[in-house]
Amino acid sequence: MTGDFLSLASVVGLVSGNLILRLIAVAIVAFIVVSIGSLIEIYIERKFWARIMSRYGPTEVGRYGSLQLFADAIKFISKEVFTPELADRTIYDIVPVLAVATSFVVLVAIPFDYAVSSLFPSSFHPSSFVISNFDPSLLVAFGFFAMEPVLVLFGGWAGGSKYTLIGGFRSAAQLISYEIPLVLSFLSVVALTRSLNLFQIIEVQSASWPFLILELPAFVLFLIAMLAELERTPFDLTEADSELVAGWNTEYGGSKFLLVYLSEYIRAFAGSAIITCLFLGGWVGPAPIPGLVWIFAKTIVVFTVLVWIRAAYPRVRIDQMLNLGWKVLVPSSVVWLVLTPYVANFAVVHHLLTL
Amino acid sequence: MASKPQLKPPVAPPPDPLQAEKEMVRTLLGALPNDFVNLKPARRRRLVGQCLPATFLHVLAFLRNEAGFDHFNYMTAVDLRTSFDLVYDFWSIQKHMELLLKVNIPHGQKDELVPFSTSTGVYPAAEWFEREVYDLFGIEFTGHPDQRRILLREDWKTHPLRKIYDRRGNPINPALGAAGPPALWRTNEGKIALPKKWLEEDPEVSESVLTVNFGPHHPSTHGPLMVRLRLNGEMVYDADIVMGYLHRNHEKLGENNTWIQMLPYPDRTNYVSPINWEWAYVRAVEELEGIEPPQRAEYIRVIMAELDRIQSHLMFLATSGDTVGQLTGFVWGLRDRELILDLNEMVAGARMLPNYFRFGGVNRDLPKGFSERANNALDLIESHLAEFSAIYERNPVFLGRFKGVGVLSPQNAIDWGAVGPGLRASGVQFDVRRDDPYSVYDHFDFDVVVSNDGDNLARFMMRVEEIKQSISIVRQALHGLPSGPYQAKASVLSIPPGESSSRIETPRGEGSYFLVSDGSPRAVRMKIKSAAFINLYVAKRQMVGEKLQDALVILGTWDPVLGEIDR
């Protein structure tokens, strides 16, 4: 260090040397990326959806309504914090916080930090920096993803209302039955790359084609299961506004609702990012653009597709949803998993894939 | 060569227009010679008569089982100060004939319950009508399965449509009636009573079901309506409907306002299809006065009423998207409805509640450039219907929710009294515009769309097809619009004494006004037969045994409008 001046390189050196500082740095990076991501997502959701509906969406606050989300956040925060009389106070209060926390943790597994370090290509070797480069990163991501149904069930139960209770039960049924096809469909990618490490999976794709092409059936199955896992239309039965008002989060208001709402969009962001990493090649892109921009842009595009689906489809019924999960998605993903070695063989023979 | 003037063949006497009606009278009198008093045809396709209270049930059973009067239109009562006239109205779907039957029963001086036998055993559709008469008139139907108040609160002590009460529900002579509205009438406490069936239920059953209240403030009840569902898991075990949150007692208002003062009220009866309801009221008064509007006025009325049907059905397309979480269709429906509301504004000056029709004509002539603008709007709506089909009937998820769900058999549809597109979706051919034509509907070429499926999708498609038919009718009417006056001479205050009832095919089915006049400037009785009211009853019957999510979709396919249901 020279005097009071902290050079970028020295900061990087300090941080990469200390594990705790490294973790904090990753948390800050993830927080910034996700905050910006969620804001962009909500803005896209409102604006893009509005255009499909031939509305304008937000226009008044800020240019093109860009500050509307901040106005909304201020409104939520400044509202009264209340607890319904029949609610189970402790659980009721803790569920929104845990929902946001577990949604954030999912992002640990996604190699945003590598993508960030790609902005400073000469400063250090990326593998010395990344925290996401650990072997079972995909498993960790889905482990935290799978905590949501428990929270939703608790939140629905603790709300003390019949709407929230029905919403919570539906959510439990839905998420449990869609975990299995979700895992089965990404297993074929795992079988192809022989790794549960998202970092590794992207590396393999960077040497060949994105798995969207090689693993198209798995992509479709994974997308459908992910839609259900994110509780978005057409699988938003837990918040079926036409019968359950707002489903399991009916009784949340003010800042608690803000947390619930935020956790949904963080999950949506994480889900889109996982799709990007598994099937769309993560930070890899054809043009010489920094990896962070690539992974970010791809994630937003995937999310936009989710919005598109939401605008085009109504909600399915609970039995139709379970039928789709158990009778279509599970068998098809098993069949595709069995076929995967043949696909891999074909791809290697024809130099589509280097393992 | 000059031809000899030939002898004209003898002119056959013109066929009696009331022949079928007279034949029906003869049949009825032949079978039941002692039960009818003064049974006669009132006009084409309508018989009016009276029968005796003692053998009333016997007559009902005969009418339904032998004479073919299978459709129960409505029932109501008229307070004649010393006695009640119970009015029953039936329609024969096969024979295209209406029968208005009256029964006179005495009532005492004070506000006490008057017993009469229930007709729910013969016509299940009478259930809610009898509850309404019990509520507003205090006639107790012995043997009724579920005798509760329906429009008023359960703790309301009086029967406000009796003549001993004024328009605010207070007794005119305090010695005669009980005190008026309950003091706490603004709170929900004491409003609701449970159905008798639920109270008498086996406690073991009631422990295993979850009663969930939907409404009165709920996104998918289409207004302040409360649906109480008893759920067994996701299945609806039983349903009950609490209405009356929008009850303003239009019928009492009709007795306290002059005829012309009542004109804006039909708009408020059904705020989604105001013009058809204006027409129902105006036609009933015109029938009392015996006037015919000029041709141009009739054409203008047809144009406005069909535009009104289009916008009401577009509202249905919108809300049926909303019931399954398809909000894009919701906004599209509202967007296209705006086009028609703009036309309303152009013609009448108001968008939603135009108050356009007058006795004997319309308020003003169609403005310059209307025809062009209407044609443009119709072209646009027609092209948008293709877009609607992409997100609705060609969408697999939507089909999954609508196709084969909530099937209503034709027999049940008739028994439960369904009217309008819902009835036609079950394969029953009944459209007032064709079967009992009013105004100039016989000048136009249109189809009555019928489906045989009876499911949600059929009820949905019925509206889509009717929009197409209505567009065609409006185009024909705009093309053949005659010139001439748009308003006939009609008196607005001195309406001759008598009775009349109009029948209009509103977007939700047959709606009618039953008016009794004694020559004074105010009606003696003004009954509004609401189509949405009886359709809601059908929806309630249909919900039982369905899944929770389907139950609310079924409710949506009957297109309830709470202004019309609660009146």
Side-chain angles (χ1 to χ4, degrees), chain B residues 332-351:
Chain B
W332 285 3
L334 295 183
R335 173 195 70 187
D336 289 356
R337 184 171 174 254
E338 286 295 298
L339 298 168
I340 310 263
L341 295 185
D342 288 345
L343 291 175
N344 274 356
E345 185 182 4
M346 188 181 183
V347 174
R351 293 160 61 78

Side-chain angles (χ1 to χ4, degrees), chain B residues 96-265:
Chain B
H96 293 183
M97 208 171 294
E98 185 190 357
L99 171 63
L100 197 112
L101 205 57
K102 286 199 251 172
V103 190
N104 194 275
I105 56 171
H107 76 68
Q109 279 295 307
K110 288 192 166 188
D111 185 359
E112 64 252 359
L113 289 177
V114 180
F116 190 67
S117 50
T118 178
S119 43
T120 47
V122 188
Y123 289 101
E127 186 180 339
W128 278 15
F129 289 113
E130 287 187 350
R131 275 177 70 186
E132 188 188 320
V133 170
Y134 163 75
D135 190 357
L136 302 176
F137 283 95
I139 297 171
E140 194 171 33
F141 292 93
T142 46
H144 189 282
D146 189 20
Q147 185 83 278
R148 283 180 293 150
R149 286 185 181 265
I150 188 164
L151 292 172
L152 298 178
R153 304 164 56 89
E154 194 59 31
D155 56 358
W156 201 289
K157 294 284 181 293
T158 64
H159 305 102
L161 272 185
R162 290 194 176 190
K163 291 289 182 190
I164 53 175
Y165 294 104
D166 68 5
R167 64 191 303 171
R168 296 196 179 280
N170 297 313
I172 294 168
N173 178 357
L176 290 183
L184 286 173
W185 66 282
R186 280 179 198 281
T187 68
N188 215 19
E189 200 72 31
K191 165 152 177 59
I192 301 159
L194 285 171
K196 215 194 276 175
K197 206 167 112 196
W198 295 11
L199 295 172
E200 293 163 355
E201 203 165 53
D202 187 2
E204 220 168 88
V205 173
S206 52
E207 247 174 48
S208 67
V209 295
L210 176 72
T211 308
V212 187
N213 296 344
F214 292 93
H217 303 291
H218 191 274
S220 69
T221 53
H222 301 239
L225 170 75
M226 185 163 166
V227 184
R228 322 180 95 197
L229 296 179
R230 314 199 84 193
L231 297 178
N232 190 357
E234 285 266 344
M235 305 299 285
V236 177
Y237 171 75
D238 203 351
D240 181 37
I241 286 192
V242 183
M243 61 174 85
Y245 292 94
L246 224 50
H247 180 56
R248 298 144 288 176
N249 216 338
H250 274 185
E251 299 177 4
K252 192 77 178 176
L253 289 170
E255 296 168 17
N256 285 284
N257 286 313
T258 59
W259 299 99
I260 187 76
Q261 275 178 333
M262 266 314 282
L263 254 181
Y265 283 92

Side-chain angles (χ1 to χ4, degrees), chain A residues 162-163 170 242-243 311 315 320, chain B residues 211 213 220 234 324 328 400:
Chain A
K162 290 170 184 170
Y163 295 139
R170 277 186 185 177
S242 50
E243 61 261 8
R315 182 179 309 119
Q320 292 171 339
Chain B
T211 308
N213 296 344
S220 69
E234 285 266 344
V324 288
T328 307

Side-chain angles (χ1 to χ4, degrees), chain A residues 82-149:
Chain A
F82 68 92
T83 309
E85 203 179 335
L86 291 174
D88 184 333
R89 246 204 119 106
T90 324
I91 302 177
Y92 173 82
D93 285 344
I94 210 167
V95 160
V97 181
L98 279 183
V100 173
T102 53
S103 311
F104 259 121
V105 176
V106 175
L107 293 154
V108 162
I110 295 161
F112 281 122
D113 49 353
Y114 173 79
V116 170
S117 67
S118 73
L119 292 175
F120 317 103
S122 59
S123 57
F124 49 87
H125 190 266
S127 59
S128 72
F129 186 78
V130 286
I131 194 159
S132 51
N133 189 5
F134 58 101
D135 272 347
S137 63
L138 204 48
L139 276 191
V140 168
F142 281 102
F144 282 106
F145 237 87
M147 281 185 70
E148 181 81 358

Side-chain angles (χ1 to χ4, degrees), chain A residues 49 51-55 162-163 165-166 170 233-234 236-237 240-245 310-320, chain B residues 210-215 218-220 231 234 322-328 331-332 335 395 397-398 400-401 405 547-550 552:
Chain A
W49 197 25
R51 288 316 298 158
I52 292 178
M53 284 174 155
S54 58
R55 289 187 291 125
K162 290 170 184 170
Y163 295 139
L165 186 64
I166 298 174
R170 277 186 185 177
T233 315
D236 58 342
L237 288 111
D241 59 331
S242 50
E243 61 261 8
L244 298 183
V245 189
R310 178 174 183 188
Y313 286 103
R315 182 179 309 119
V316 300
R317 209 168 50 212
I318 181 93
D319 60 319
Q320 292 171 339
Chain B
L210 176 72
T211 308
V212 187
N213 296 344
F214 292 93
H218 191 274
S220 69
L231 297 178
E234 285 266 344
D322 184 39
T323 52
V324 288
Q326 166 56 287
L327 288 173
T328 307
V331 179
W332 285 3
R335 173 195 70 187
N395 184 332
V397 181
F398 183 84
R401 294 298 304 278
V405 178
K547 295 187 186 66
L548 164 63
Q549 285 182 296
D550 286 340
L552 293 170

